[in-house]
Amino acid sequence: MPFKEFTFDDIAKHNKEGDLWIVIDSKVYDLSRFADLHPGGAGVLYADGDATQVFFGLHRLEVLRRPQYARLQIGAIRGQTENIKPVGPGELSLVPYAEPTWLTPGYFSPYYSDNHRNFHKAIRAFLMEVVQPEAVRCEENGKRISQEVVDKLSEINFLAMRLGPGKHLKGLTLMGGIVKPEEYDYFHELILNTEIARFGTRGFVDGLLNGGVIALPPIINFGTPEQQAKFVPDILAGKKYISLAISEAFAGSDVSGAQTVAVRDGDEWIVTGTKKWITNGTFSDYFTTLCKTDAGFVVLLIERSDAVSTKPVKTSYSSTAGTAFVTFDKARVPVANTLGQVGKGISIILSNFNHERWMVTATSLGAQRLVVEECLKWTNQRIAFGKPLHAQAVIRAKLAAMISRVEACQTWVENVTHQMNNMSYHEQSDKLAGPIALLKQFVSKAGRETAEDATQIFGGRGITVTGMGKIIENYHRTSPFDAILAGAEDVLGDLGVRQAIKKMPKNARL
């Protein structure tokens, strides 16, 4: 049913206590019964008719779309049309720098094809329609992702795509057939990783089956065909969950300091020890686990049992990530669950780090670009000292720094991704460990600097969990995770330089 049309003269007749109509972006709302319930008090609602500027100085557009408020609309202003509209599923933002150059009309890139563009449009639409509502709910309530959404993700083979190109994709239908398994490359995965970070829900990014992203590669790359057939299909289908269990209270970036012990007993290993800060650990069925033996380190695939217990670890991001403290109390593990060779555990884990660090970098990049978009929008609508906030030179300087950082990050990420596309897994392990380590350090540092600038731009709203600055608050609080997960920032910088020194020609001189 079409809404009734009104004039501003009509609105002026309803501007008193118990009879209050207002206009927001050409839409007429009857707030007569709502005024006394308004969290900010009734006084601010008496805006002499058109409350558009006042409303958007206090609220996000999404507020008007909530059912309890949308039902208050009774009509529209005759001759006016809605100017402020949300970006629809799959659509691009028109805010400058809100999208990378390759998605910006009139610009070009050597890395992306029409297939990448079609994939991007489809995955953005899917994530906005299916995943974003779940992301917001889970980030707020701390609950794990629902099986219903996991099943929908499995239909498009979401987790398989997040593992990058490879043999695990053979025979799968990816994103409804938009991209064939043999066409899928690391730029498709880069698109996927940046897109899942666009909701301002950092904890949920890790809760979105990140355990599988980092724990499955050792099985795929070092497991036997029997191990792969037994475990991989159910995990990719969302029927089982898995975590990477490396970090301990005794060993973080120092992987070789791990103290969880595996002792051989016939056809079984007996595993004793603890792991900490394990992503998705609270709900995982399997744990890809680094253990110490008399013959060196080994990686074991350990199934949850009465001898394997988990409890949540409370961190500064949402518990929807399922961060856990894992205890192995003389857990018996079949020798058949050994991944790779005994004594080669460290090399298996180190080779796994490249993809994990690149993935964390990509999601950080997506989040940073979202923050830039939020700041550009806010400085356009926020009025301070009688002018838009971006009229202040100091604000423009912060925006310039934020934009420069995200564009520099984008360029380096794409360069490394191009190298990955043209290297084998072995070549990546040999040549890219240093560059990816330096890349992650650079991007995570850029992210924290951007988080600080964005918080200054948003002021008090930037430290408030809800409302206008909620995305900024979330990013400022959680951006350190990008610096810590998969290797602390300074450790990675040192690794990158050491890798460069190892490849330095012995006769290099000035």
Side-chain angles (χ1 to χ4, degrees), residues 11 15 53 83 203 267 330 338 361 398 405 426 429 453:
I11 306 305
N15 193 33
Q53 183 170 309
N83 289 316
D267 291 335
K330 298 179 181 177
T338 304
T361 299
K398 289 184 182 298
R405 284 191 292 264
H426 175 74
S429 299
D453 284 343

Side-chain angles (χ1 to χ4, degrees), residues 68 86 114 150 152 206 213 225 229 312 323 337 339 341 385 394 412:
Q68 66 267 38
D114 286 341
V150 171
K152 292 179 180 178
D206 282 356
V213 178
T323 309
N337 283 18
L339 299 175
Q341 299 178 26
F385 307 103
V394 66
W412 196 355

Side-chain angles (χ1 to χ4, degrees), residues 8-117:
F8 277 104
D9 288 338
D10 295 326
I11 306 305
K13 298 174 184 177
H14 302 274
N15 193 33
K16 59 182 181 293
E17 186 175 349
D19 184 16
L20 177 61
W21 293 6
I22 65 169
V23 178
I24 301 175
D25 192 25
S26 80
K27 298 177 181 178
V28 179
Y29 296 86
D30 183 352
L31 306 186
S32 302
R33 301 176 62 181
F34 170 75
D36 290 337
L37 302 175
H38 185 242
V44 71
L45 299 175
Y46 295 90
D48 196 24
D50 195 336
T52 302
Q53 183 170 309
V54 174
F55 177 86
F56 285 107
L58 299 170
H59 299 291
R60 302 177 70 90
L61 175 61
E62 65 194 49
V63 171
L64 293 178
R65 299 172 62 81
R66 294 173 185 166
Q68 66 267 38
Y69 303 128
R71 64 181 177 80
L72 299 178
Q73 184 183 356
I74 59 172
I77 294 296
R78 182 177 300 125
Q80 290 192 2
T81 58
E82 180 183 11
N83 289 316
I84 304 169
K85 299 179 180 179
V87 175
E91 294 181 358
L92 299 176
S93 172
L94 298 180
V95 176
Y97 301 104
E99 306 286 0
T101 303
W102 73 276
L103 288 173
T104 304
Y107 288 79
F108 306 91
S109 169
Y111 300 126
Y112 301 91
S113 66
D114 286 341
N115 185 264
H116 290 114
R117 297 178 191 280

